[in-house]
Amino acid sequence: MRPEILFPLFTSVSTLKGVGPRVAPLVEKLAGPIVRDVLFTAPSGLIRRTTTTVDQAVENQVQTFLVTIDGHQPPHRLGQPWKIRAWDGTGFLTLVWFKGHGPHLERQHPKSARRAVSGKVERPEGFASELQIAHPDYIVTEDKAGDIPLVETVYPATQGLPSRTFRKFALESLERAPDLPEWQDAAWREREKLPSWREALTALHAPANEADLSPLARPRRRLAYDELLAHQLALAQRKAARRSYPGPRIPAGPLSEAAEKALPFKLTGAQIRALSEIRGDLASGERMSRLLQGDVGSGKTVVAMLAMADAASAGLQSALMAPTEILARQHFETIAAPLEALGLSVILLTGRDKGAGRAAKLAGLASGAHHIAVGTHALFQDDVAFKALALTIIDEQHRFGVNERRRLQDKGEGVHLLAMSATPIPRTLELTVFGDLDVSRIDEKPPGRTPVATRAAPTPRVPEIVERLRGAIAGGAQAFWICPLVSESDKLDLRAAEDRAADLAQHLPGVGLVHGQMPPAEKDAVMQRFVDGEVSVLVATTVVEVGVNVPNASIMVIEHADRFGLAQLHQLRGRVGRGTRESSCVLLYDPPLSEVAQQRLDILRRSDDGFEIAEKDLELRGGGDPLGLKQSGFPAYRLADPVAHRDLIAVAADDARLILARDPDLTSPRGQALRALQELFDWKPTSALNEAG
Ligand code: ADP
Ligand code: MG
């Protein structure tokens, strides 16, 4: 239940003065539907209004003048502005209005009246001696001059809602903000010299100077920490709740040992570590919620296979779900033979299974005749039932919704969850994305992989690259050529890819094209021809099939590489360099390359470690969503900046753990205050925190 003290903030924005039926949708668009949302909308900058005289005026600055109205100049012709000449003893200032306010202005500001006027001072082109203010921000009687703010916050603009109007709403929402009981630890507040919540909000909407708006200013850090703590607390609560839920006890079994012995290679140290962490969870009697993180090709699938063999040893079933049919098929091909050699029955279930064939597979799952199911969304359809599902493994879990995953987990009792992801999240941000999961990392590549030689080249050098490709293809190599979706228009992007494919086909044999608008079956068919080696150059618009494994492909060309996140480029590059061939990656860019873009591409050339690349990219690009994290279930913070405030993330996670250790149900006075905090940010243990939940 929401505490009553928060009610004034949890009412519609239309309760704010001046927010009527026309304005309300605009405020909702910019901030959100309730007063709290206006309160949590941070200004983007600040205008400082100095008061000065005309002879001291500085062009293009926002300034305030005390003037006497000298006279009105109505327009001579339609379309000309209405002008007021004003005088302050040191010079003349022209005030300009482009719309027909004339008679009204004349009444409001008669000749000889004294006025305070404020706005951006300009010198119109061709009138070197004339200073003007077009559409003054303020023009008030002299005695009201004090009402013109010296410092004025600027809010992100939206069409039809001027920043100054929104500022009024923000200030009113600030007035409505109650004094809330402190939820932060007193000693920590003291040490960090953090203001109270209300003081911090006041500094946000009524800053004294530019420094107050820096993400590093104490009031901003306080608000950021509040938000991060609310989130971490909810993640920790959810994790604790899950821990207390029993899962079937699965000890490490003989089948898994046999499967491991039969592998044609030795597990890497990182794989052994990940596997033993997973086994620890499976044997614990509590339900596992673990994420297995590792670069593409780091060997996650093998680890997953051994965990499934453990489940089978215990007489229990597993399901492995992949986002696309081709990925599901590849997983199936990887694990079916080694597991079947041990006498286990593994099936592939996708949208293609129909009729009697499908019915037979379902019957086998229901009877327990099949031990392991690999598949796509087809796995969680309503009529799919398992005899004893105990472990679900989800590949590229961010591509499934929470509900889809639940539907699969609900097909068993206390089903263990292992999610696999190749999206490199920098360590510093891991807690914000996966705070409610345990994480195992495979941070070591199987031996014998040669690094992919990576270089950047300007697009005009494509003919040379094609020439070299021709030689490589003659020698049996295969290549990916990615034409990413970069423009606003899918049609244009598709055309660019089609043109590229047509162009390449004139110079190279075996060019194929896949794109997002193709029917899945057709797309799969082209992919299959690439896997089979009939297509030697695969032109693709999207990275949908990033997980696909074609060991013979050794060349990756990426157009518009400068517009990709580094993590994504790294994932794409991971598609090659899997076989024995020397591999290369060409990052095409449209010259000239900015310095930052240059540095970013350099990171890729120098490093082969997805986590390191993600971390450096983060540092280089600063704020925003540099890594495309939102797609990976990254939370959209209102006041915290995951980059500028990243030092606070781990502190908040620790704090949350401590709080719950002492007061698991948040019943202490601080606990009560923290509940209000969670309400404020909508982060309760039950809300959809992220896709990984
Ligand atoms: P991921 O799922 O992380 O993308 P995979 O499990 O598909 O990676 O492994 C990629 C390739 O590397 C597979 O061909 C697999 O057989 C091989 N592989 C996995 N682990 C090892 C290892 N320890 N040593 C050598 N090769 C390995
Ligand atoms: Mg994989």
Side-chain angles (χ1 to χ4, degrees), residues 263-269 271 292-304 331 334 395-396 420-422 442 445-449 547 549 551 575 578:
L263 289 174
F265 47 76
K266 278 203 157 52
L267 295 182
T268 62
Q271 283 172 314
L292 183 56
Q293 271 263 71
D295 265 356
V296 154
S298 60
K300 298 183 292 295
T301 312
V302 174
V303 172
H331 283 315
T334 306
D395 193 20
E396 294 304 334
M420 304 199 287
S421 171
I442 303 189
K445 290 216 168 57
R449 302 268 168 88
N549 191 18
R575 298 288 100 225
R578 310 192 123 199

Side-chain angles (χ1 to χ4, degrees), residues 426-440:
R427 275 174 209 276
T428 41
L429 297 188
E430 192 176 82
L431 281 166
T432 67
V433 187
F434 304 123
D436 60 339
L437 297 179
D438 298 304
V439 179
S440 293

Side-chain angles (χ1 to χ4, degrees), residues 278-305:
I278 291 166
R279 284 186 170 150
D281 290 351
L282 291 177
S284 72
E286 289 168 5
R287 193 155 61 141
M288 170 168 77
S289 294
R290 185 169 289 276
L291 174 74
L292 183 56
Q293 271 263 71
D295 265 356
V296 154
S298 60
K300 298 183 292 295
T301 312
V302 174
V303 172
M305 177 183 86

